[in-house]
Amino acid sequence: MMARLMKCLLTAFVMIALLGCGAGERYEVQGDVVVFTYWTFSFGRINDTLPGADASSFKSVKDWLGHDNERVYFKEKLVPGADAATLQVVRYPLYRDKRDYYYGATAMHVADMETFKTLKWAEDDFWATDSRYAYYDTLRIDADLPTFELLDVFVAKDKNYVYFFGQILPEADAATFEKLGHSAYSRDKSHVWCGDDLLPDADLATFVVDGFDKAHDKHGRFRYEKRDTVTEDE
């Protein structure tokens, strides 16, 4: 859970660090092959050859998206079924062609291309809807769209379910579920969560949020989903 909540901050930190070291993700035509080149801390610059790419017709659309006359590539990965002739960038890592939307190298299988729209982004994760479904990245969610609402960048609900990172949050009562301020905590009429971790020993009546990752009830304090055993003096 912690890794997912901190994803945005870690991604931003890593990008700054990489740029400082000359990350330089890009495509290069090297003779009769096309490579996706990037820098790593462990191995320095890496050159990954694009499988089957035609160097003579290859074009870089973005540093992370390219195509030749027949094939589309996300970074070094071939995107099966994507149409090079109708390729359009939305925002990293989302793009489309005449048939579908793609997240990274994966087809999203959007049901209604004409009504598809993104709702909220958090770094490279997003929520979206069309006339039939809701989407979290590549997850297609059979949500009740008239009652579907976003509670924050990772949490949504409709009249039936609460969704955390696109997955149904077990035991959550959608009618009474609420986020507790700008924190990692949430609750419904019977439970308290930190992210998608249920806090079974939390006392709902006395539960109070003290910060993004801190809370307390009559039995003591929490740090994220765990009871905090550190005393005030420590």
Side-chain angles (χ1 to χ4, degrees):
M1 169 265 171
M2 276 294 300
R4 304 186 83 181
L5 286 176
M6 298 302 292
K7 179 180 179 181
C8 296
L9 291 176
L10 289 174
T11 299
F13 172 80
V14 170
M15 288 302 297
I16 291 170
L18 287 175
L19 288 171
C21 296
E25 289 188 347
R26 63 183 181 273
Y27 294 103
E28 291 183 356
V29 176
Q30 298 179 358
D32 59 352
V33 299
V34 182
V35 301
F36 180 71
T37 179
Y38 56 98
W39 189 92
T40 69
F41 284 108
S42 300
F43 303 104
R45 183 154 292 281
I46 303 295
N47 294 318
D48 288 333
T49 300
L50 273 58
D54 174 44
S56 64
S57 63
F58 188 85
K59 295 180 181 179
S60 176
V61 180
K62 291 286 185 181
D63 293 340
W64 45 272
L65 186 67
H67 67 89
D68 61 20
N69 284 340
E70 297 182 356
R71 305 168 188 86
V72 175
Y73 298 85
F74 175 79
K75 298 189 176 182
E76 77 282 8
K77 296 178 181 178
L78 177 66
V79 184
D83 180 58
T86 57
L87 198 63
Q88 298 178 37
V89 172
V90 179
R91 169 179 166 175
Y92 179 87
L94 182 66
Y95 52 100
R96 62 166 292 175
D97 63 15
K98 65 182 180 180
R99 292 187 290 261
D100 205 350
Y101 281 82
Y102 302 84
Y103 177 84
T106 304
M108 291 182 60
H109 305 297
V110 169
D112 185 351
M113 294 284 288
E114 294 302 317
T115 61
F116 181 87
K117 61 180 179 180
T118 59
L119 303 178
K120 199 172 189 70
W121 286 82
E123 292 297 326
D124 54 353
D125 296 304
F126 67 93
W127 291 94
T129 58
D130 63 17
S131 63
R132 295 177 58 190
Y133 297 99
Y135 301 82
Y136 183 81
D137 295 346
T138 59
L139 293 174
R140 191 166 75 176
I141 305 163
D142 191 13
D144 181 70
L145 294 180
T147 61
F148 183 79
E149 62 174 315
L150 301 183
L151 304 183
D152 69 12
V153 294
F154 304 119
V155 184
K157 73 174 186 175
D158 59 20
K159 69 176 184 178
N160 300 312
Y161 300 108
V162 176
Y163 307 95
F164 186 81
F165 285 92
Q167 303 281 359
I168 292 175
L169 188 63
E171 301 185 51
D173 176 65
T176 60
F177 185 91
E178 62 177 342
K179 288 285 297 176
L180 297 178
H182 299 293
S183 77
Y185 299 98
S186 55
R187 69 182 176 197
D188 67 10
K189 64 181 181 180
S190 305
H191 309 93
V192 177
W193 288 264
C194 180
D196 58 349
D197 291 310
L198 185 65
L199 278 55
D201 63 337
D203 181 70
L204 185 62
T206 61
F207 188 86
V208 176
V209 170
D210 301 313
F212 177 80
D213 59 349
K214 299 184 177 100
H216 72 273
D217 63 11
K218 67 180 182 180
H219 302 298
R221 297 185 298 163
F222 288 91
R223 181 71 185 270
Y224 284 106
E225 73 276 13
K226 299 184 181 300
R227 284 286 183 185
D228 192 347
T229 58
V230 178
T231 66
E232 293 292 341
D233 292 338
E234 294 179 287

